[in-house]
Amino acid sequence: MKALGVWLAGFVLLFGGYSGVTHLVRDSDPESVFVIVDSSFQMREVWTQVPDVLDEIDDARYAEYALATEKGPVHGWQEQLTLGAADAFAPCGFDRVETYPLVAEADQVVVVTTEGSCETDSLPSDWVVRRLEG
């Protein structure tokens, strides 16, 4: 029984040490997620879903987020996504989003749009496209 206690204590120390080091490493170098929200006329039908989707995206523990619409930047790197006073208006066009400086810094790019809005086929293949349904 004593051997089991020694083994268990060693296991707990080893696992605890590994968890602590992993936490420190991941916390010091968070993943950068850049989110682009389609804010065109076509998004009006699903606009009320956008805050919930942004809240779902920013739930990751070791990540920081920047936000923009296809019309321009909303905020830089921070722990939560905040849409602010953005509103759905005008036609959609993702032709400028690849030029946003934070896109190059991001580990992941997520595009939030809806069916029938912006054309997403020309976006880089490693970008994640989240389509909202009305």
Side-chain angles (χ1 to χ4, degrees):
M1 197 60 150
K2 185 176 182 178
L4 178 61
V6 169
W7 180 86
L8 185 59
F11 178 78
V12 168
L13 285 173
L14 181 66
F15 183 74
Y18 175 77
S19 297
V21 168
T22 301
H23 169 72
L24 290 174
V25 168
R26 299 237 16 229
D27 199 42
S28 67
D29 186 27
E31 180 181 28
S32 301
V33 180
F34 188 68
V35 179
I36 303 165
V37 175
D38 172 2
S39 63
S40 66
F41 288 131
Q42 292 85 354
M43 287 290 288
R44 285 186 175 173
E45 183 179 331
V46 294
W47 195 249
T48 58
Q49 297 176 34
V50 173
D52 292 336
V53 170
L54 295 180
D55 188 43
E56 182 182 315
I57 292 170
D58 73 12
D59 282 346
R61 184 170 180 185
Y62 300 106
E64 61 183 0
Y65 306 92
L67 180 65
T69 69
E70 86 286 4
K71 295 171 181 69
V74 175
H75 67 72
W77 300 115
Q78 58 187 42
E79 290 184 10
Q80 292 185 332
L81 292 164
T82 309
L83 188 57
D87 194 18
F89 70 95
C92 182
F94 284 138
D95 52 337
R96 296 181 317 167
V97 297
E98 290 184 65
T99 65
Y100 294 168
L102 297 179
V103 168
E105 297 176 24
D107 297 317
Q108 181 182 21
V109 177
V110 178
V111 176
V112 178
T113 188
T114 190
E115 196 65 42
S117 186
C118 287
E119 180 59 46
T120 59
D121 292 340
S122 62
L123 296 176
S125 61
D126 60 334
W127 287 16
V128 176
V129 177
R130 297 271 311 258
R131 293 194 194 286
L132 303 180
E133 307 238 348

